[in-house]
Amino acid sequence: MSASELHPTACNLCYANCGILVEVNDGHIVKVRGDKDHPASRGYLCNKASRLDYYQQGRDRLSSPLRRRPDGTFEEIDWDTAITEVAARFKSIRDTVGGDRIVYYGGGGQGNHLGPFHVSATQRALGIRLRSNALAQEKTGLAWTSQRVLGGYWHGDFEHCDVALMMGKNAWQTNGFQRARIVIREIAKDPNRTLIVFDPRRTETAELADIHLAVKPGTDAWCITAILAYMVQHGLIDAAWLDAHTNGYERVLAFLRDVPVETYAAFAGIELTQVALAAQALGATDKVAVYEDVGIEMAPNSTLCSYLNILLFVLRGSFAIPGGMHLVNPLLSIFSFGTGSGTVNDQGYEENYRTSPVTGARIVCGLLPCNSIAEEILTDHPGRIRGMLVESGNPAHSVADSQRFREACDALDTLVVIDVAMTETARLADYVLPASSQYEKVEATFFNFEYPDNFFHLRHALFEPRPGTLPEAEIHARLVEALDVFSPGDLDGLKAAADRGLEHYAEAFFAGMRDDSRIGAYATYVLYRTLGPALPEGFASAAPLWLLCQTYARENADDVRRAGHAGEGLALGNALFRTILAQRSGTVVSRADPQSDRRQWRMRSGKLELGMAEMLQEWETLKDFRLPERSDRFPLLLVAGERRLYTANTAIRDPAWMKADDPASLAIHPADGKAYGIDDAAEARLVTRRGAAVVVVRYDDGMQQGTISLPNGLGLSYPDSSGQSITFGVAPNELTDLDDRDPWVGTPWHKHVRARLESLV
Ligand SMILES: Nc1nc2c(c(=O)[nH]1)N[C@H]1C(S)=C(S)[C@@H](COP(=O)(O)OP(=O)(O)OC[C@H]3O[C@@H](n4cnc5c(=O)[nH]c(N)nc54)[C@H](O)[C@@H]3O)O[C@H]1N2
Ligand SMILES: Nc1nc2c(c(=O)[nH]1)N[C@H]1C(S)=C(S)[C@@H](COP(=O)(O)OP(=O)(O)OC[C@H]3O[C@@H](n4cnc5c(=O)[nH]c(N)nc54)[C@H](O)[C@@H]3O)O[C@H]1N2
Ligand code: SF4
Ligand SMILES: [Mo]
């Protein structure tokens, strides 16, 4: 590729995945700018994208499969040996105790879902049923409540709303919806629109807010309830809409009528006048958009808060209308709703839902809670997990209680890691398989939360794969082959059909599916090996998208045509697929008509089901005004892992990428610092129940007194220019405890870690 040419791709540092145009030179990404042709980001970028080369050219990128020696060091092995041995190790678990004793962790971070999409065939061949990933430490409470109440995953129309609520979300730094900084600034500037931020800390987003509700940590449930109750008690809800569109609202309103608003607000540290202002802003419109994120999802009452956040927009009827909330309809949902979910009984409780084999943890959207993984391994229970396949995730760093996670990895029969870099998890593995980076293969994510337009961006490769690496699709295909699922020649007919064009292939594929159950069961593999070679060079990994396009076009034909794709039946799916392959800046795959979109109403009754009994039960407990116990030993509350100007989970491992001042510091209110005798910029010892670390303290008067915060994604070991391993900052999960978690879905309370600080002088 020529140096000065600009190549369209996307930023992989957060789930906005903004379209970018990059200049490349000698394997490096040397210049990055926003891509105005990207249908969603339209040229927008935040500060991080310009540093992408630190991902692409990380010094600890992998370039050969590795096998652990008995002494714990690694040796390089060739791919054939690696595939044969990994397949044999997992096969032996499958054949002795069962493939359901293997867990698959990961499946794509912020930028890569296409490769891991291919795992489904490997999973099938090994009989793997347990999966987990970071969603099971943040979004499963949201997924569970939204599935039960709305029937799908919700997202807000922040571009057109009158009231935007940021619940434990610092969108200025963390984005999460398209063009976040621009949209937030617009709302803040407009006197007719209201930005409400729930955050103990005066964040960059809170600075812009019309109403900043600086709740005491972990008290959001009381503050939200106070606002909802004020609305009910002052006639600010849309009762007619509720009656027409929801079931179970009477119980909700009955609860709210009796709430002593001022008492609830006071418990959360909020003045009644602020609650009234927020309630009145909500009461004046039906265009309410809510974003909840990990400030709420990783704190006490997290699942209840997810439920209450639904009420914030439902009480105003702000659902399925422009400027309000909608259910997403992406090409592929990152949540497998319905997987293992039970049935709701007459009392409104879910029964017969899927649980984990050892501890009986609730499995939501097919995901084992991250906090349960170690518990499902470190036991002599016969159902314990024996093997783990980790792909594009770094759980030894990102899951609570790293020490226990490491012990659990040690206790496994087999741990295999597929990654681009030598991560904390890879270091623990029996085998490490090196993947080509996201800019060395076709890549995509299934993050698409927009409405009414749905888009999809297939990124073309910018570079040749680094020698020794393979794209995930090829790794999984070789594993499936090593597991002898198909015999030579089985797929020759489909290969020949692919050579004759998509039309022939479509017919042959669907006929094959009817005749041979393996075709559907191993669809990603079959498509990769049969349609893949017929696609333009380098696009084989994208072959399974063809089936997604067919399914999506069949289920959403009018919406797909409204977005400009033409055809009927199979031809429409083919047209969509061809456009996705060709459009380098992304494609609008469907356009809903908000006036007649029945897909927004997904519950069987055709109404929203507000009477979720588990949440109504927990709601009652607020009357006790109880928070997790505190003690004099741990008087502070630590946010273990906050997002800052230069953090990107662990996608970038080289600390040199950070351009901020003291990016690793622990933030503390100056009054607290002084009270503990710790100066600004001094070192101190941070202690929790599970660990201790030396931190550099930074005074920040935006912090609430009694709280401290550490950045997320740091404390990685990374080679310096001489190859010596260095660690920059503190790994937050050396300090967190598995027991601090939500009682329903097991999400951790990373934002609510009891801690103390000790002066080192
Ligand atoms: N720069 C950057 N952006 C990112 C990422 C990144 O690593 N770096 N990661 C991406 C990912 S994976 C995610 S999940 C999102 C997360 O996005 P955010 O949720 O915005 O991220 P955090 O900064 O971890 O937490 C948000 C806020 O929660 C507040 N908080 C702490 N305790 C409480 C509480 O009890 N109640 C309330 N209401 N708030 C509380 C903190 O003060 C903090 O400002 O960011 C995404 N974007
Ligand atoms: N204490 C605390 N813990 C937290 C959080 C917190 O706020 N506090 N936040 C949680 C949240 S919200 C999240 S999302 C998680 C994030 O934690 P993880 O889900 O573990 O994700 P990442 O850190 O993004 O790790 C992504 C991995 O993918 C690898 N990778 C990058 N590109 C590719 C590729 O093309 N192929 C393959 N195979 N691998 C690739 C990277 O090298 C990296 O190892 O952390 C969670 N953990
Ligand atoms: S980090 Fe997120 S918001 Fe920033 S440029 Fe990348 S994708 Fe866009
Ligand atoms: Mo996340």
Side-chain angles (χ1 to χ4, degrees), residues 13 50 66 90 127 139 195 227 255 360 365 401 506 519 539 556 606 648 685 755:
L13 297 181
S50 64
L66 302 173
F90 282 136
K139 296 281 176 283
L195 176 64
I227 292 172
F255 183 96
C365 296
D401 197 341
I519 303 288
F539 281 79
N556 305 277
R685 204 170 113 88

Side-chain angles (χ1 to χ4, degrees), residues 14-152:
C14 87
Y15 43 68
N17 299 124
C18 302
I20 54 177
L21 295 171
V22 302
E23 201 178 304
V24 300
N25 189 13
D26 194 21
H28 287 269
I29 297 173
V30 291
K31 212 174 256 171
V32 178
R33 61 166 85 139
D35 182 356
K36 294 198 172 63
D37 292 335
H38 190 277
S41 63
R42 309 195 314 264
Y44 173 84
L45 287 185
C46 81
N47 59 295
K48 293 187 285 301
S50 64
R51 314 291 280 173
L52 269 177
D53 198 49
Y54 284 91
Y55 161 77
Q56 170 60 19
Q57 288 289 353
R59 223 176 265 138
D60 55 359
R61 286 278 311 272
L62 298 160
S63 54
S64 164
L66 302 173
R67 179 174 59 199
R68 174 183 296 279
R69 296 194 189 95
D71 69 359
T73 59
F74 287 101
E75 61 188 329
E76 296 192 351
I77 53 175
D78 61 57
W79 270 105
D80 283 349
T81 310
I83 294 289
T84 310
E85 293 187 10
V86 165
R89 294 278 289 255
F90 282 136
K91 186 168 179 288
S92 136
I93 298 177
R94 181 193 73 185
D95 295 346
T96 50
V97 288
D100 53 353
R101 308 293 154 77
I102 305 170
V103 64
Y104 172 69
Y105 189 93
Q110 305 293 302
N112 60 318
H113 297 162
L114 192 60
F117 184 39
H118 289 260
V119 78
S120 61
T122 308
Q123 210 182 319
R124 188 71 179 224
L126 289 170
I128 298 177
R129 291 190 62 237
L130 274 180
R131 291 180 72 132
S132 186
N133 62 37
L135 291 172
Q137 60 173 325
E138 46 175 330
K139 296 281 176 283
T140 35
L142 191 170
W144 185 45
T145 51
S146 62
Q147 178 181 18
R148 289 277 298 279
V149 176
L150 312 170

Side-chain angles (χ1 to χ4, degrees), residues 11 22 78 94 133 251 303 362 375 388 529 549 556 582 651 674 690 697 719 728-729 747:
C11 173
V22 302
D78 61 57
R94 181 193 73 185
N133 62 37
R251 281 179 75 186
T303 302
R362 185 186 290 268
E375 295 172 340
M388 179 150 61
R529 280 289 190 238
C549 287
N556 305 277
K674 288 181 188 128
R690 284 304 285 158
V697 165
F728 181 73
T747 40

Side-chain angles (χ1 to χ4, degrees), residues 39 452-456 560 563-565 576 579 583 586-591:
D453 283 9
N454 288 293
F455 69 92
F456 185 79
V560 171
H565 310 283
L576 181 60
T579 309
Q583 295 272 33
T587 308
V588 177
V589 293
S590 71
R591 177 165 296 158

Side-chain angles (χ1 to χ4, degrees), residues 165 198 220-237 252-253 255-257 259 261 264 275 278-279 282 304-305 307-316 619:
L165 288 127
F198 274 64
D220 297 86
W222 283 270
C223 188
I224 303 168
T225 303
I227 292 172
L228 295 169
Y230 189 100
M231 290 170 69
V232 169
Q233 294 170 19
H234 291 80
L236 296 172
I237 61 169
V252 170
L253 300 189
F255 183 96
L256 290 169
R257 263 182 222 114
V259 166
V261 174
Y264 272 49
V275 166
L282 286 164
L304 176 61
C305 285
Y307 170 76
L308 299 178
N309 287 341
I310 295 176
L311 298 182
L312 280 171
F313 58 87
V314 164
L315 291 196
R316 290 300 315 159
W619 215 6

Side-chain angles (χ1 to χ4, degrees), residues 55 392 394 398 418-419 423 438 441 472 640-641 643 650 733:
Y55 161 77
S392 53
N394 189 6
S398 59
I418 305 176
D419 205 294
T423 65
Q438 294 174 41
K441 61 194 175 204
E472 286 82 353
R643 274 83 183 154
T650 66
N733 288 310

